[in-house]
C-alpha cells in the first residue's frame, strides 16, 4: 500500500521516530492454557483480513504467553527525538504464537501481541500510531525493586457489562498470586536450556510443526531477537471503512541480558469476566482460578525497531 504523503511531525505532536531503546526491561512471563480455535478466530478477525490466496497466519497450539514488563527507561534513538527525553513504561501483554504460511508451508514464526495495555499516554500514542500496537491504558501491580509485592494484577477503565446504563469505570481484568512465596528460584546460566524447556512444553501442544522451529520461536523471546507481528489499521471518520490496514513486522533486538531465571514458585491466575475485554471469547482463557506454566523472569536491554509491512505485499 503506497502513500504519497509524508508524515507531518508538527509542533505538539507526541509521535516520535523509531527505533527506540529499552533499558532494564524486567519481564515476568507466564504460559497460560487457551483455546486454539478461539485464538485462530481472533487471528482471522485481525491478521487474516489482510491475507491472500497464498499467504495466511495460523496459531500454534493451545497456549498463549502473558507478560508483565517494567521498563526503566525508553527513548528514541533517532534525532531530534533522541534529545527530547525518556520515559518509564510498564506493559502487560498476551502474546499468541503465530506462523506465517506461504503456499501451504510455514515460512516464519512470530509473536503476536494480541492484547496490550500500558501505563502512560505517550507509550500508548506512539505504540498505536507508529507500530500498530492495540494499546490501552491500565493500572497494575507487579514486583519491582521499590515494590516487593508478590501480586500481579491489571485494571482498566472499561465496561464490566454492556448495557445502556453501564458507566465506564475501573475494573480488574486479571490477577496472579504466588501460592508459596518462600520457595527458591532456578537460576539459569544457559539460554539454550530455557528455550529447550519451553519448546519441550510446547511440543505437546503444537502438531505438525518441526521441533526445531518451535525451539527457534522461543529462543527468539530472549536471544537474539523477538519477531513481532502486528495488525495495524485506522478507521475513517464514520468508523466503517479502514483508511489504512496492513500486517507489519517489528523485531525486538536483544542487546544485553542482565538476568534470566525460571521461577519455581506456584502461581495462580484469576481471570475476571469483563465485557470490554472478554479474554475467554478472545483467546479461550478460562474464567476464574487456574494454574500457569513455566513462569520465568528476564531482565534485558533491547531495541524496538520500526515496523515494516508484511501484507499487503
Amino acid at each position: 500500500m503506497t502513500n504519497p504523503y509524508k508524515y507531518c511531525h508538527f509542533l505538539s505532536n507526541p509521535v516520535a521516530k523509531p527505533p527506540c531503546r529499552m533499558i532494564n526491561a524486567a519481564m515476568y512471563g507466564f504460559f497460560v492454557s487457551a483455546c486454539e480455535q478461539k485464538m485462530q478466530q481472533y487471528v482471522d478477525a485481525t491478521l487474516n483480513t489482510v491475507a491472500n490466496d497464498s499467504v495466511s497466519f495460523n496459531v500454534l497450539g493451545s497456549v498463549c504467553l502473558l507478560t508483565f514488563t517494567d521498563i526503566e527507561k525508553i527513548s528514541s534513538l533517532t534525532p531530534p527525538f533522541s534529545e527530547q527525553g525518556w520515559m518509564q513504561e510498564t506493559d502487560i501483554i498476551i502474546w499468541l504464537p503465530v506462523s506465517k504460511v506461504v503456499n501451504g508451508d510455514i515460512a516464519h514464526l512470530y509473536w503476536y501481541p494480541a492484547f496490550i495495555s500500558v501505563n502512560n499516554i505517550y507509550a500508548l500514542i506512539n505504540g498505536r500510531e507508529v507500530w500498530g500496537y492495540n494499546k490501552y491504558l491500565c493500572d497494575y501491580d507487579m514486583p519491582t525493586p521499590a515494590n516487593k509485592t508478590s501480586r500481579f494484577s491489571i485494571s482498566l477503565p472499561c465496561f464490566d457489562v454492556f448495557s445502556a446504563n453501564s458507566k465506564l469505570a475501573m475494573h480488574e481484568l486479571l490477577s496472579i498470586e504466588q501460592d508459596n512465596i518462600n520457595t527458591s528460584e532456578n537460576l539459569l546460566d544457559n539460554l539454550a536450556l530455557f528455550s529447550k524447556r519451553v519448546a519441550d512444553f510446547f511440543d505437546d501442544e503444537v502438531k505438525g510443526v518441526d521441533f526445531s522451529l518451535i525451539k527457534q520461536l522461543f529462543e527468539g523471546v530472549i536471544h537474539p531477537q523477538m519477531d513481532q507481528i502486528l495488525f495495524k489499521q485506522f478507521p475513517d471518520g464514520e468508523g466503517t471503512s479502514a483508511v489504512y490496514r496492513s500486517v507489519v513486522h517489528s523485531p525486538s533486538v536483544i542487546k544485553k541480558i542482565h538476568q534470566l531465571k525460571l521461577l519455581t514458585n506456584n502461581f495462580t491466575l484469576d481471570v475476571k469476566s469483563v465485557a470490554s475485554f472478554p479474554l475467554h471469547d478472545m483467546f479461550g482463557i478460562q474464567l476464574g482460578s487456574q494454574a500457569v506454566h513455566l513462569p520465568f523472569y528476564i531482565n534485558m536491554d533491547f531495541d524496538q525497531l520500526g515496523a515494516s509491512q508484511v501484507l499487503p505485499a
Side-chain angles (χ1 to χ4, degrees), residues 14 26 44 83 113 139 176 260:
D44 290 342
E83 305 303 317
D139 291 338
I176 298 175
L260 169 66

Side-chain angles (χ1 to χ4, degrees), residues 58-101:
N58 292 338
V59 168
L60 298 173
S62 56
V63 176
C64 58
L65 174 61
L66 168 63
T67 60
F68 284 72
T69 307
D70 176 86
I71 306 170
E72 181 179 300
K73 182 178 180 180
I74 303 177
S75 59
S76 172
L77 295 176
T78 303
F81 309 99
S82 55
E83 305 303 317
Q84 292 179 353
W86 62 274
M87 66 179 179
Q88 182 276 338
E89 178 183 342
T90 299
D91 55 51
I92 295 93
I93 305 178
I94 296 176
W95 306 85
L96 309 185
V98 170
S99 65
K100 178 184 177 183
V101 179

Side-chain angles (χ1 to χ4, degrees), residues 286-307:
Q286 293 298 315
L287 298 177
S289 297
Q290 57 207 278
V292 297
H293 311 283
L294 292 175
F296 67 89
Y297 170 84
I298 180 171
N299 188 298
M300 58 188 167
D301 302 338
F302 67 95
D303 290 349
Q304 193 64 46
L305 305 188

